[in-house]
Amino acid sequence: SPVDSPTKSPVDSPTNSPVDSSTNPPTASPANPTCSVCGEGKTVDFPDAVVEFPGQPSITCGELQENGFSGRIPPGQCSRIPMIINRACGCDPRTPVPTPEPTLPPT
């Protein structure tokens, strides 16, 4: 009697995972403009002083200023920060040391 050869089972090739090429990796560059946390033309005088904002970890004034200069603070928040940190971070402009009166050489 004739012998039938066994039927091979079907083999499916593996399915590759879908690749979404439309998503871009996050960029490291900040999306916000630079921000002076003490206000325009002022800088932090006490960089080691610590400030706290509700819902945020505490941060030194120096770190906060660096975050502002590097564009990590949204403009809406930046405009309110000087009022909050002014005293703690020493944002008041310093009174310059008075220039001594010139002395005239003896005549």
Side-chain angles (χ1 to χ4, degrees), residues 7-103:
T7 306
K8 295 181 179 179
S9 56
V11 176
D12 292 328
S13 59
T15 305
N16 293 331
S17 301
V19 176
D20 184 3
S21 61
S22 66
T23 57
N24 294 325
T27 57
S29 62
N32 302 306
T34 59
C35 156
S36 176
V37 296
C38 275
E40 197 61 40
K42 298 179 187 177
T43 56
V44 166
D45 288 323
F46 309 130
D48 296 327
V50 176
V51 291
E52 294 181 354
F53 299 96
Q56 298 292 322
S58 58
I59 187 170
T60 67
C61 294
E63 291 170 326
L64 188 63
Q65 179 171 260
E66 183 56 39
N67 286 345
F69 288 159
S70 60
R72 293 188 199 113
I73 301 174
Q77 290 179 9
C78 186
S79 62
R80 295 190 308 261
I81 290 176
M83 294 175 283
I84 300 168
I85 70 166
N86 188 355
R87 185 169 296 169
C89 294
C91 294
D92 291 323
R94 294 285 184 194
T95 304
V97 176
T99 306
E101 291 290 324
T103 54

